[in-house]
Amino acid sequence: MDIGFMIDIFPVILSKLPVTLYIFTVTAVISLVLGVLMAFVELKRVPVLKQIFDIYSSFVRSTPGIVHIFIVYYGLPVFLAPFGISPSAIDRLTSSIVALVFYTVAFISAVIKPSIKAMPQSQFDAAASVGMTRWQSLRRIIIPQLVPMTLPSLTNAMVDLLMDTSLLFTIGLTDLMGQANILVSNTLGINQVEIFVTVALIYWALSSMITAVMRFFEKRLAHYLR
């Protein structure tokens, strides 16, 4: 294995890190918000929405992520065309975020729901008895207890999301994996092992950083709740 070549291409691949981090961050934030809302809707058994979300969750969790990327990338322009939105307005970056959000929300919701179910109804009743609104009880009592319970599973979900971004090169997005594939093409596949080992090391480092950050927040919250 040519270590010198790996050192030379490292900054070239790393130059696309901002693209990967941008997609990861935007997708994570949107998916967390929608995942929490979806979990509450399903637990409250809101008519119609509950059935729609059940079908959506079953579909998403039973099909590969790369299929959703292709469906959104090729289907979103077709879907939006009747509304006067030009296909050229939907770039690869937008399609990537929409596809990953569509795929990730179902898994985030599946992580959140068991934790909400584990919260005893007495917590809500006690908050209501002292005059708290539903939102106040969520913000002051339920969420501070809910977050530490969900962080370990959310950590896995965030790492999975990072791994899913590596599929976006299939629609021509030049992120970390996209840049790696460009290098493979430029070198005619001669150093492809070195290239993919280099990009694997970068993903490994990113996953370790995500895990470390989530564990830091988990410990801080545990200390805060003592």
Side-chain angles (χ1 to χ4, degrees):
M1 186 174 292
D2 191 342
I3 302 300
F5 178 77
M6 293 173 63
I7 294 173
D8 290 338
I9 65 170
F10 182 80
V12 178
I13 297 177
L14 203 62
S15 66
K16 299 303 177 182
L17 178 60
V19 178
T20 295
L21 289 182
Y22 176 79
I23 293 172
F24 170 81
T25 303
V26 173
T27 301
V29 171
I30 296 175
S31 297
L32 281 170
V33 173
L34 295 181
V36 170
L37 292 175
M38 180 175 165
F40 274 103
V41 167
E42 289 194 278
L43 289 173
K44 287 295 183 182
R45 299 187 176 276
V46 178
V48 181
L49 283 180
K50 170 68 166 59
Q51 287 70 31
I52 292 174
F53 286 161
D54 285 344
I55 295 172
Y56 157 73
S57 295
S58 176
F59 173 73
V60 169
R61 298 174 68 184
S62 304
T63 49
I66 194 169
V67 173
H68 301 289
I69 292 172
F70 288 145
I71 289 175
V72 171
Y73 180 64
Y74 294 111
L76 192 60
V78 175
F79 176 77
L80 294 177
F83 299 96
I85 300 176
S86 172
S88 61
I90 312 300
D91 57 14
R92 290 185 175 91
L93 190 62
T94 302
S95 295
S96 298
I97 292 173
V98 172
L100 288 178
V101 167
F102 181 81
Y103 185 66
T104 305
V105 167
F107 291 93
I108 298 294
S109 176
V111 167
I112 300 294
K113 280 191 294 184
S115 298
I116 298 176
K117 285 182 178 180
M119 299 297 297
Q121 182 61 36
S122 59
Q123 299 273 5
F124 294 93
D125 296 338
S129 67
V130 296
M132 286 189 183
T133 64
R134 193 72 172 178
W135 167 242
Q136 287 175 328
S137 64
L138 285 173
R139 182 169 58 88
R140 298 179 182 179
I141 299 175
I142 305 304
I143 292 178
Q145 298 179 70
L146 188 65
V147 172
M149 295 170 60
T150 59
L151 273 180
S153 297
L154 281 177
T155 299
N156 294 332
M158 292 299 101
V159 172
D160 288 342
L161 171 59
L162 177 66
M163 298 302 102
D164 289 336
T165 64
S166 66
L167 300 173
L168 299 175
F169 80 94
T170 57
I171 58 173
L173 187 77
T174 310
D175 59 347
L176 290 173
M177 185 60 77
Q179 185 62 47
N181 277 274
I182 290 173
L183 288 173
V184 170
S185 299
N186 291 342
T187 58
L188 303 178
I190 297 174
N191 297 105
Q192 59 185 348
V193 173
E194 288 88 346
I195 293 170
F196 288 127
V197 168
T198 302
V199 77
L201 291 173
I202 294 174
Y203 278 111
W204 181 28
L206 291 173
S207 297
S208 299
M209 290 173 62
I210 291 171
T211 302
V213 169
M214 298 293 274
R215 284 179 179 172
F216 170 78
F217 282 116
E218 185 178 355
K219 290 179 180 178
R220 290 297 297 270
L221 283 169
H223 177 75
Y224 172 77
L225 292 173
R226 286 176 184 172

